Amino acid sequence: MSAAREEILSRIRGALGDVPAAETPDDVVVTRAYRSVDERPRDELIAVLCERIGDYNAEVRRVASTGIADAVRAACADAGIAQLAVAPGVPAEWRPAGIGIVEDHGLGAAELDELNAALTGCVAAIAETGTVVLDGQALSGRRLLTLVPDHHICVVTADQVVGQVPEAIAVLRPAVAEAHAPVTLVSGASATSDIELSRVEGVHGPRHLLVLIAE
């Protein structure tokens, strides 16, 4: 992916090589007058996030920060999940006893499909849009991990909840700028509609999304 990105950027630079200097001013200041910080209280932001996630037909549960493993175990029992593919950065205290844990270190698509469920964290969650933000790092897991299994259980800690998209972009900046991390924005379970507007879930990602908000 990195090689492809560099190839695209190289072609863009080549295409712009003959643009006159007068048409590429370096002193242009872009004014960003949009709201970049949401000043609503954290509890209100979490309530909005829960409402938005529900709007996308996804499930959200608010749990105690000390009871994440129990919440994951209960979710697995509800869905009949016996094994979980787990992002390598998921803390030990999030991993439930009694459930088969397979840590993802390059699992293939067929292996992930057999496991049927994935457990990850995230880098942020946007209240206004009901979006979970994944940065492809150890806690969020590889993109493949969160696209192949039918169930995705994602843990969001209360301090990761932001109000607006610009705040999430600011959180993502180090991972993107320094590690060229692939970013995935998840707003509900995967779904699409055909020409007759018949909604189909699970076409290009998990059919079921459960967000656990740990407070």
Side-chain angles (χ1 to χ4, degrees):
M1 182 176 293
S2 178
R5 176 178 181 275
E6 291 304 320
E7 175 66 19
I8 292 170
L9 293 176
S10 175
R11 293 189 183 190
I12 293 172
R13 285 190 290 266
L16 296 175
D18 59 352
V19 176
E23 296 182 16
T24 58
D26 294 327
D27 57 350
V28 173
V29 177
V30 178
T31 301
R32 294 181 171 85
Y34 51 79
R35 182 171 51 154
S36 60
V37 177
D38 197 316
E39 297 180 350
R40 286 177 289 182
R42 181 79 61 182
D43 285 348
E44 184 175 343
L45 292 178
I46 292 175
V48 172
L49 176 64
C50 292
E51 180 183 349
R52 298 290 189 272
I53 291 172
D55 287 343
Y56 291 122
N57 293 328
E59 186 179 357
V60 59
R61 301 179 186 179
R62 299 177 70 163
V63 303
S65 59
T66 55
I68 296 174
D70 290 338
V72 173
R73 185 186 305 108
C76 289
D78 291 344
I81 297 168
Q83 285 188 307
L84 279 173
V86 177
V90 166
E93 58 269 24
W94 293 8
R95 306 183 182 201
I99 302 294
I101 299 295
V102 181
E103 195 166 281
D104 178 35
H105 293 286
L107 292 171
E111 295 171 297
L112 289 170
D113 190 47
E114 289 180 0
L115 290 171
N116 199 39
L119 171 64
T120 76
C122 68
V123 68
I126 308 169
E128 194 64 36
T129 60
T131 302
V132 173
V133 183
L134 309 175
D135 66 355
Q137 305 299 293
L139 182 59
S140 296
R142 296 184 302 145
R143 183 172 286 172
L144 191 67
L145 173 65
T146 56
L147 290 181
V148 174
D150 207 33
H151 297 263
H152 180 194
I153 302 172
C154 183
V155 178
V156 178
T157 58
D159 63 316
Q160 290 178 317
V161 179
V162 298
Q164 305 294 325
V165 173
E167 294 172 280
I169 298 301
V171 173
L172 280 168
R173 183 179 179 85
V176 174
E178 299 169 13
H180 304 295
V183 174
T184 305
L185 304 179
V186 180
S187 298
S190 167
T192 190
S193 296
D194 61 19
I195 196 169
E196 296 179 349
L197 300 183
S198 176
R199 180 182 173 92
V200 180
E201 297 184 343
V203 174
H204 43 64
R207 193 184 312 271
H208 307 283
L209 172 66
L210 168 61
V211 178
L212 300 177
I213 301 179
E215 304 175 68

